[in-house]
Amino acid sequence: MIRFLVIIILVVGFLILSIPILFLEWLIGKWNPRFRDLSSLRIVQFMFKLILKVAGTKVTVIGEEQVPTDTPVLYIGNHRSFFDILVTYSRCPDLTGYVAKISMEKIPLLSLWMKRLYCLFLDRENIKEGLKTILTGIDQIKRGISMCIFPEGTRNKGDELLLLPFKEGSFKMAEKTGCPIILMSINNTAEIFENHFPKVKPCHVVLEYSAPIYPKELSKEDRKFLGAYCEKRIMETLKKNQTLV
């Protein structure tokens, strides 16, 4: 429970103390938007790394050298834990917006930081609004901002090696922009917190990045069912890395 309480204090403390930082970032943006964006990214990444350290999370990273740093990408990952965001976002080399559920837009201060970092809020119950969110993501990729989405649609609370079906609409951002897809296979994050709520326990997490996938280079069948193709690839990697945790 001590780790859990310390993390709560860190999160709440950061959100409150960051109010003047948000204002300062706004002022910087008037002068240099790129510098503002990168400074916001690094501030949040520092906090995420600090939280992971307090949680006692050891992360083994595989294939990170394959992630392009000179072009935006679409990150696709499996989703088991709130800590998936901390583990992956803390390693993004450049501006990256995550697609989150619409309910997170209502959280004070947190939603301000998310918007500052180009995160989008997806209403999966409203097809029209969901399409608008995907179109915004396409526009952000065209402007050089990577995007990340967990196409299971929600946290998978079942067997880690039995993924929820990937939603094909999640891949439109890559199909419409031609940007590479980077698969993120994440093992054992639920063991940090969700498997023994409310305790936060030290554990070993494995994060593996795939080589860039370009939809146009895939077979006609794989392009047609891109979600199923990526789901299969991630599941194979999860099974391979299960012995490492």
Side-chain angles (χ1 to χ4, degrees):
M1 280 294 291
I2 294 178
R3 291 178 188 270
F4 175 74
L5 292 174
V6 171
I7 289 172
I8 292 297
I9 291 171
L10 278 174
V11 171
V12 174
F14 170 75
L15 291 176
I16 293 174
L17 294 176
S18 69
I19 294 174
I21 297 177
L22 281 168
F23 178 70
L24 179 61
E25 292 287 77
W26 176 77
L27 289 177
I28 292 173
K30 295 291 185 180
W31 162 65
N32 190 328
R34 172 69 177 174
F35 182 82
R36 174 204 61 196
D37 289 346
L38 285 177
S39 63
S40 294
L41 172 68
R42 302 310 177 202
I43 288 169
V44 172
Q45 287 181 323
F46 170 80
M47 284 304 303
F48 281 3
K49 289 175 182 177
L50 179 59
I51 291 170
L52 289 170
K53 185 173 183 179
V54 170
T57 305
K58 176 186 176 183
V59 183
T60 294
V61 183
I62 303 170
E64 190 171 26
E65 72 282 354
Q66 301 181 101
V67 180
T69 58
D70 58 350
T71 186
V73 306
L74 175 64
Y75 293 102
I76 294 289
N78 59 301
H79 194 22
R80 291 271 294 167
S81 169
F82 293 116
F83 280 84
D84 294 333
I85 292 90
L86 280 71
V87 169
T88 58
Y89 195 76
S90 61
R91 310 197 71 86
C92 291
D94 208 334
L95 302 179
T96 305
Y98 275 44
V99 179
K101 58 185 178 181
I102 190 70
S103 59
M104 296 195 71
E105 192 174 16
K106 299 177 182 178
I107 302 176
L109 294 179
L110 177 61
S111 62
L112 287 177
W113 272 106
M114 293 177 72
K115 291 174 182 176
R116 174 85 292 285
L117 295 167
Y118 297 98
C119 292
L120 303 177
F121 301 94
L122 180 62
D123 185 352
R124 296 190 182 276
E125 304 301 320
N126 188 320
I127 296 177
K128 185 177 180 180
E129 290 302 315
L131 178 59
K132 287 182 180 179
T133 301
I134 297 300
L135 291 175
T136 301
I138 291 171
D139 180 63
Q140 291 191 168
I141 290 175
K142 289 179 178 179
R143 291 192 288 122
I145 302 163
S146 294
M147 295 300 300
C148 176
I149 191 167
F150 298 104
E152 290 174 281
T154 187
R155 283 181 296 120
N156 178 6
K157 300 177 183 178
D159 189 331
E160 181 172 76
L161 302 181
L162 296 176
L163 302 178
L164 300 175
F166 279 19
K167 300 182 185 301
E168 295 289 341
S170 303
F171 298 84
K172 294 298 182 184
M173 286 184 277
E175 294 173 332
K176 297 298 184 181
T177 62
C179 78
I181 295 172
I182 300 294
L183 303 180
M184 303 185 300
S185 304
I186 315 165
N187 285 78
N188 211 38
T189 45
E191 191 58 31
I192 302 173
F193 178 59
E194 283 79 1
N195 286 351
H196 33 70
F197 174 85
K199 294 182 180 180
V200 173
K201 292 187 176 181
C203 77
H204 181 208
V205 169
V206 178
L207 166 63
E208 179 165 345
Y209 295 95
S210 74
I213 298 170
Y214 294 89
K216 290 183 179 180
E217 297 178 1
L218 299 176
S219 68
K220 183 177 180 180
E221 184 71 11
D222 289 335
R223 287 200 308 270
K224 184 177 180 181
F225 300 104
L226 187 54
Y229 170 79
C230 292
E231 179 185 340
K232 180 181 178 182
R233 289 276 306 270
I234 287 180
M235 189 177 297
E236 290 172 348
T237 306
L238 289 174
K239 290 179 179 178
K240 173 179 70 72
N241 291 339
Q242 188 71 9
T243 58
L244 299 179
V245 298

